[in-house]
Amino acid sequence: MNREMIIVLDFGGQYNQLIARRVRECNVYCEVHPYSMDLEKIREMAPKGIIFTGGPNSVYLEESPHIAKEIFEMGIPILGICYGSQLMAYTLGGQVATAPVSEYGKTEVDTDPTSVLFKNVSSRTICWMSHTDYIAKVPEGFRITAHTPVCPAAAMECAERRLYAVQFHPEVVHTAEGMKMLSNFVYDVCGCAGDWKMDSFVETTIQSIREKVGSGKVLCALSGGVDSSVAAVLMSKAVGKQLTCVFVDHGLLRKNEGDEVEAVFGPNGSYDLNFIRVNAQERFYSKLAGVTEPEQKRKIIGEEFIRVFEEEAKKIGAVDFLVQGTIYPDVIESGLGKSAVIKSHHNVGGLPDHVDFKEIIEPLRLLFKDEVRRAGLELGIPDYLVYRQPFPGPGLGVRILGEVTAEKVRIVQDADYIYREEIAKAGLDKTFSQYFAALTNMRSVGVMGDFRTYDYAVALRAVITSDFMTAEAAEIPWEVLQKVMNRIVNEVKGVNRVMYDLTSKPPGTIEFE
């Protein structure tokens, strides 16, 4: 696919995916790759620009990640961020040392308006700092373009070679004019046209799928969630009746969800799909019996999904391709490449070693969640499906802490149903990006009537996010939380305590496991 691209090289920074997301907001395609990516591969990809991420290391330590000096001789514009800026300075002959004063959080930075990077940026602007080392001396040929009282080289550049570096994080919302800086790099330094739009993505993806599949048969793993629904409709547009959608009800869905999915995609639904529903509740419960470790649960669910799909494929006969609704955050969080594993998504890192399909197709693999939604709208999928609450592939298996049992599934299904119902009644369902109830593994003493209880605690979660890579806890009115608590404690047998989770992402994840 011929398109302009920016590459993000990951040095272990917590905001690596966010940098890519911000570049895409400039309508320029962007991918994240490990810092160890071969230079020849980079040349082949012919990116318009490269961005180095931040990272937790000190560049002057031998064990820290480094990069070949030749990358700076390739003639490709480079922007170094935080660790990436120090790496640029260190590799090109500058000096990096422990800072006399560390900087963390919102910081006033004085910028040089003659730098293309700071075009239309205030001469004094708020930026997000997070560093204990600093650039003590810039390399030969570079000039300082921003500073703070304790950071003499908050930004530097060698405009002739199109090399730029900033000590702060322009990609986070706390940097007030960070998007201007990134836009200046993408457009004015790299010369991008900004022509990557969702309609062109849909069109080119359909064409590439047709070329790949040819006359082969395709099986799509349909969960009814946003990602798999968009993937299914996209595949249907590409290969028509060559596609069969298999919906596995693993007994870990939300209340009534199996029937709701069948109503939309089944024989009487809105889409002309070959739809098969497999009821496999007992099979999954049996496999999960006694398992408490989150990663193990995810991998068991992932493997069992694949085994069900393989069995259904044999019934259909000669199925070559398996389609999954994997999206970019799944790929990054599953630790492919050099990133740390946050959690294995059942459709990426949770796949078994052997899969009995010729090839797995993941048409949404390079999209963030909000981009998936835009692709869905472009495909003509109704708003109510596109903006449906996200739901993880392992389902309630990752919303039940500890061992999964049929009884625990009932508890969390009922509690979640009440929570979602009250959020909708309060008119908040379109306000929050994701909200759900989870069952903790904690039991505590309570009193109901004149009797002592010893039951489970339910945790409520609601977040606001655009890309699902970072998120803030939503502020729910107290009276709504009180009503939800009262209903759950009174209506859901086995629960005597309700809590609300205030944790943002990072440091937490949106799901509990």
Side-chain angles (χ1 to χ4, degrees):
M1 197 178 297
N2 187 20
R3 60 189 168 199
E4 59 183 17
M5 176 194 302
I6 301 288
I7 289 177
V8 174
L9 293 184
D10 178 19
F11 289 88
Q14 60 179 315
Y15 301 127
N16 53 12
Q17 64 276 22
L18 191 53
I19 297 170
R21 184 66 196 86
R22 297 294 179 242
V23 172
R24 291 190 189 186
E25 285 177 19
C26 298
N27 293 321
V28 175
Y29 182 69
C30 187
E31 289 183 3
V32 180
H33 292 280
Y35 73 88
S36 55
M37 187 180 189
D38 187 75
L39 294 189
E40 283 306 312
K41 178 64 175 174
I42 293 177
R43 283 194 183 94
E44 288 173 18
M45 296 177 76
K48 300 281 281 187
I50 299 171
I51 299 176
F52 295 168
T53 73
N57 302 287
S58 294
V59 295
Y60 44 78
L61 299 178
E62 190 176 337
E63 64 270 19
S64 296
H66 292 95
I67 201 158
K69 191 175 180 179
E70 287 75 20
I71 196 168
F72 299 103
E73 311 301 329
M74 292 170 66
I76 301 170
I78 299 176
L79 171 64
I81 294 175
C82 197
Y83 179 87
S85 71
Q86 296 166 11
L87 181 70
M88 183 183 292
Y90 183 80
T91 307
L92 295 176
Q95 292 179 7
V96 177
T98 302
V101 179
S102 300
E103 285 182 305
Y104 294 98
K106 293 181 180 179
T107 305
E108 282 193 341
V109 176
D110 291 316
T111 66
D112 182 346
T114 66
S115 168
V116 64
L117 202 64
F118 298 121
K119 185 182 78 174
N120 298 323
V121 173
S122 307
S123 58
R124 179 166 290 178
T125 186
I126 297 295
C127 299
W128 186 260
M129 289 283 193
S130 180
H131 67 101
T132 55
D133 292 336
Y134 79 130
I135 298 170
K137 180 184 175 184
V138 302
E140 188 177 339
F142 280 74
R143 72 185 184 103
I144 293 172
T145 55
H147 66 274
T148 75
V150 298
C151 185
M156 67 176 190
E157 67 178 46
C158 179
E160 280 181 42
R161 299 169 67 185
R162 296 190 294 175
L163 303 178
Y164 297 81
V166 293
Q167 182 58 69
F168 50 83
H169 291 274
E171 69 275 20
V172 302
V173 294
H174 310 295
T175 297
E177 299 176 90
M179 272 305 295
K180 286 183 187 176
M181 300 171 199
L182 288 172
S183 179
N184 288 339
F185 177 72
V186 166
Y187 285 109
D188 297 331
V189 177
C190 300
C192 291
D195 55 5
W196 190 67
K197 306 270 194 316
M198 200 46 61
D199 55 352
S200 61
F201 168 82
V202 169
E203 184 181 325
T204 53
T205 302
I206 286 174
Q207 184 58 38
S208 66
I209 289 168
R210 284 176 181 155
E211 291 172 4
K212 180 189 289 285
V213 171
S215 59
K217 288 183 181 179
V218 182
L219 186 150
C220 178
L222 177 64
S223 71
V226 176
D227 304 331
S228 70
S229 296
V230 173
V233 175
L234 186 65
M235 293 301 300
S236 178
K237 297 263 188 188
V239 301
K241 288 296 186 182
Q242 292 166 246
L243 173 70
T244 298
C245 291
V246 174
F247 166 57
V248 179
D249 186 344
H250 51 13
L252 302 169
L253 298 171
R254 288 170 287 203
K255 191 170 184 175
N256 304 326
E257 191 157 32
D259 294 339
E260 291 170 3
V261 171
E262 185 169 358
V264 172
F265 292 102
N268 301 316
S270 309
Y271 297 95
D272 186 19
L273 299 174
N274 297 319
F275 178 87
I276 296 172
R277 177 174 177 175
V278 180
N279 293 312
Q281 296 90 334
E282 293 307 318
R283 175 173 179 167
F284 278 82
Y285 292 161
S286 173
K287 289 284 184 179
L288 290 167
V291 179
T292 60
E293 205 278 318
E295 275 297 289
Q296 193 180 355
K297 284 197 284 185
R298 284 178 174 273
K299 289 183 181 295
I300 287 171
I301 293 168
E303 173 157 4
E304 207 57 26
F305 261 119
I306 291 293
R307 300 304 168 229
V308 174
F309 294 138
E310 287 172 345
E311 291 166 15
E312 293 303 315
K314 285 174 184 170
K315 293 176 187 175
I316 297 165
V319 174
D320 300 308
F321 301 93
L322 172 68
V323 177
Q324 297 190 130
T326 308
I327 66 174
Y328 209 26
D330 299 340
V331 175
I332 294 170
E333 290 189 345
S334 290
L336 303 191
K338 294 291 184 181
S339 300
V341 175
I342 298 171
K343 54 188 178 184
S344 292
H345 291 263
H346 79 282
N347 51 354
V348 190
L351 286 177
D353 293 333
H354 174 71
V355 177
D356 194 16
F357 290 94
K358 175 181 171 184
E359 191 171 342
I360 292 176
I361 298 177
E362 296 168 319
L364 310 177
R365 184 182 179 86
L366 297 176
L367 298 188
F368 289 95
K369 178 70 77 173
D370 55 322
E371 294 170 327
V372 173
R373 295 189 197 281
R374 292 211 305 275
L377 295 173
E378 187 67 32
L379 287 163
I381 300 175
D383 283 21
Y384 76 90
L385 282 179
V386 169
Y387 290 103
R388 189 173 184 211
Q389 274 288 298
F391 192 62
L396 300 180
V398 294
R399 292 180 182 174
I400 295 172
L401 279 64
E403 183 184 12
V404 175
T405 66
E407 175 64 9
K408 286 183 176 179
V409 170
R410 178 200 59 80
I411 290 172
V412 78
Q413 280 180 335
D414 290 346
D416 182 72
Y417 186 83
I418 290 169
Y419 183 36
R420 288 188 290 123
E421 188 174 67
E422 291 302 327
I423 289 292
K425 283 181 185 176
L428 298 170
D429 50 320
K430 301 289 192 300
T431 305
F432 306 147
S433 306
Q434 189 169 348
Y435 54 95
F436 59 87
L439 184 62
T440 73
N441 205 27
M442 182 186 85
R443 298 179 74 184
S444 62
V445 173
V447 178
M448 288 185 138
D450 294 325
F451 297 96
R452 174 189 182 273
T453 61
Y454 187 63
D455 286 329
Y456 286 106
V458 161
L460 306 178
R461 183 91 162 119
V463 298
I464 296 174
T465 178
S466 62
D467 52 26
F468 287 81
M469 298 310 302
T470 60
E472 296 293 331
E475 293 186 31
I476 300 179
W478 183 250
E479 60 272 17
V480 176
L481 285 174
Q482 284 282 89
K483 189 168 186 181
V484 172
M485 179 275 296
N486 278 321
R487 282 197 61 192
I488 289 176
V489 169
N490 283 295
E491 297 176 33
V492 182
K493 185 181 178 184
V495 177
N496 67 357
R497 197 175 295 268
V498 176
M499 300 177 288
Y500 184 65
D501 181 8
L502 293 171
T503 315
S504 60
K505 176 185 179 181
T509 55
I510 293 176
E511 296 292 342
F512 275 68
E513 293 189 335

